[in-house]
Amino acid sequence: MAAPTPPHGVPDGFGAPVPPELAKLLRDQLESVADEVEEEVRRQVPEYARPADGAYRAHLRSGVVQALTLFVDHIADPCGQGASITATYYELGRGEALEGRGLDALQSALRVGGLHAWRLMGRTAEELGLDSSVVAMLGELAFQTVHEVAEAAAAGYAEARLRSTDELERRRRRLLDLLLGEGPVAPEAVQDLAHGARWTVPRQVAVVALAATADQRETERPLAAAGALVDMESRPPRMLVPDPDGSSRFGGRAFALALRGRPAAVGPTVPLAEAARSLHWATRALGLMGRGILPRQGVVRCSDHLSTLLLHSDEPMLAHLRSRALAPLDAVAEGPRGRLAETLLAWLLSGSNVPDVAARLHIHPQTVRYRLRQLEKLFGDALHDPGTRLDLILALRADALRDDDTFTA
């Protein structure tokens, strides 16, 4: 990106020409004025109050001289462009960004230095007895100079920040791909990429799988700012959260607000080297959310639904288990079948306690006993076999999750 070069020229409303000898006189005084301006900047702007030697002193001195030179050049040639000097300030702004500093100090130095330089040079103009309109024009040129170099510095700063941000995102994306890829991950490779991505390597992580939305970036920005590694281009979108159990940034309501209502599944917390395993379970949980087996909205944490995830980790095997364990119910019509299945699951989970089953299902105990007699006719002595009871619980649980979209066990 080229440094901006705003159009120069004699300010509107000032018709009096600037005597050419003034430019020569000011140019002769430039070094002494630069000394005073530099001292004033160092006195008023704390960031520049460093020891008066070394590279930082040269950096400041160069900036002061360049700005004063541009001002004098405007006087000597009002229609000149001063492109090389504004380019210098463009690079100064860019350098501040690359060093990780803000632009406030540089902008403050420009304001302080510009005002002090105008006072010194304006005094010279008055000593020469110049017309007040010429003095006013010089003031206009001085402020124009400050504006131009400030704009150039801001443009350079913005360009460097943009490139720096893009590069940082690329490095973090590469780091995330490495951590979530297949196969073992070398700790040295992680450390190297993390250093370049300005990311502190955590001891434990959790991976979050996110439902896709139209505006991915709106969710990505606050999460990345909080320290997560985010990839909204993957399917499903995903992010790796550092130390999730010890960080309030990714817990409870704050995390849900950062997601802006987007459904998400949080994988189990694992050591960093096992991040791919957390992604596997988060992705599976997100799929179960989409089917209504887990809650469709909000944030679902795998750690709260381990039995459901285990139950659905092998869908063909689960289907075979259901078919085999619940085969006796196939002889019952659909309506009664659902009531018998509901009663059987409640009875198995309550330790065969009829009053508890009645309370859980909001029915009379006699109704429970009636249904249990029907179930004993269908299943026989198998209802009292521990292995069969476990198979029945798993199969009936899977049916309950499949049939009830609001189930939140």
Side-chain angles (χ1 to χ4, degrees):
M1 182 184 294
T5 54
H8 305 320
V10 177
D12 294 337
F14 296 95
V18 179
E21 61 270 17
L22 178 60
K24 182 181 184 308
L25 178 60
L26 293 178
R27 203 181 299 277
D28 291 341
Q29 297 180 352
L30 196 143
E31 287 297 325
S32 61
V33 171
D35 289 340
E36 293 194 40
V37 170
E38 180 185 347
E39 195 60 36
E40 188 69 10
V41 169
R42 288 167 56 81
R43 189 178 67 81
Q44 292 199 40
V45 183
E47 290 82 354
Y48 287 89
R50 298 189 181 186
D53 56 0
Y56 202 77
R57 166 71 183 271
H59 181 77
L60 172 61
R61 177 70 177 193
S62 173
V64 171
V65 171
Q66 292 279 353
L68 291 174
T69 300
L70 180 61
F71 171 65
V72 175
D73 286 349
H74 279 335
I75 296 173
D77 182 10
C79 295
Q81 293 298 307
S84 63
I85 294 175
T86 51
T88 296
Y89 268 84
Y90 182 88
E91 289 302 319
L92 286 174
R94 191 168 175 276
E96 293 294 288
L98 294 177
E99 291 296 323
R101 295 189 291 264
L103 195 59
D104 291 347
L106 180 57
Q107 300 285 32
S108 295
L110 289 174
R111 288 191 294 270
V112 170
L115 181 59
H116 193 67
W118 162 239
R119 287 173 180 160
L120 296 174
M121 292 185 165
R123 191 182 309 150
T124 299
E126 290 177 353
E127 290 172 354
L128 291 175
L130 298 179
D131 187 84
S132 59
S133 61
V134 175
V135 175
M137 179 184 290
L138 290 174
E140 187 78 8
L141 288 175
F143 288 112
Q144 176 183 323
T145 300
V146 172
H147 175 72
E148 287 173 14
V149 296
E151 274 198 336
Y157 186 86
E159 186 268 347
R161 283 293 300 271
L162 178 61
R163 291 195 178 184
S164 175
T165 299
D166 289 346
E167 178 61 24
L168 197 62
E169 287 183 0
R170 283 192 292 270
R171 291 178 181 179
R172 292 193 170 190
R173 188 74 54 83
R174 286 176 55 202
L175 176 60
L176 183 60
D177 289 343
L178 175 68
L179 293 172
L180 299 183
E182 297 180 359
V185 179
E188 297 81 6
V190 173
Q191 289 288 352
D192 288 346
L193 272 178
H195 178 74
R198 299 181 192 173
W199 191 71
T200 302
V201 177
R203 190 172 61 87
Q204 292 186 311
V205 297
V207 179
V208 183
L210 304 162
T213 62
D215 192 351
Q216 307 281 46
R217 302 293 293 187
E218 285 301 314
T219 300
E220 179 173 358
R221 279 188 286 268
L223 296 175
L229 298 177
V230 185
D231 182 3
M232 290 297 176
E233 303 302 321
S234 64
R235 292 294 178 268
R238 61 196 185 181
M239 73 175 186
L240 185 143
V241 175
D243 294 321
D245 299 334
S247 174
S248 60
R249 297 171 297 177
F250 299 105
R253 182 172 173 79
F255 182 51
L257 288 174
L259 293 175
R260 300 174 180 267
R262 177 199 293 254
V266 182
T269 299
V270 296
L272 181 64
E274 300 177 20
R277 185 163 61 87
S278 184
L279 171 64
H280 169 78
W281 288 110
T283 303
R284 183 172 293 278
L286 188 66
L288 295 178
M289 291 172 68
R291 292 163 55 189
I293 293 173
L294 290 177
R296 293 181 182 273
Q297 301 299 322
V299 178
V300 169
R301 300 182 182 276
C302 288
S303 58
D304 296 334
H305 302 275
L306 295 178
S307 61
T308 301
L309 288 165
L310 178 62
L311 198 58
H312 288 82
S313 61
D314 190 331
E315 299 274 2
M317 183 62 72
L318 177 60
H320 180 71
L321 171 66
R322 284 172 47 226
S323 176
R324 180 177 176 277
L326 303 180
L329 291 175
D330 291 343
V332 182
E334 184 177 349
R337 183 187 192 283
R339 291 190 290 272
L340 287 177
E342 180 184 53
T343 302
L344 178 56
L345 179 59
W347 181 70
L348 291 168
L349 294 176
S350 65
S352 307
N353 187 301
V354 171
D356 283 354
V357 175
R360 179 181 292 206
L361 301 181
H362 306 291
I363 58 177
H364 197 278
Q366 279 299 102
T367 304
V368 175
R369 294 187 180 94
Y370 171 74
R371 293 179 183 175
L372 287 175
R373 286 194 293 270
Q374 290 181 286
L375 289 166
E376 286 178 349
K377 290 179 182 179
L378 293 169
F379 288 90
D381 292 340
L383 284 181
H384 304 286
D385 176 70
T388 301
R389 289 167 70 99
L390 177 59
D391 287 350
L392 285 170
I393 290 173
L394 294 175
L396 291 166
R397 175 79 160 177
D399 267 3
L401 290 170
R402 183 187 60 181
D403 296 337
D404 186 358
D405 288 358
T406 63
F407 191 78
T408 58

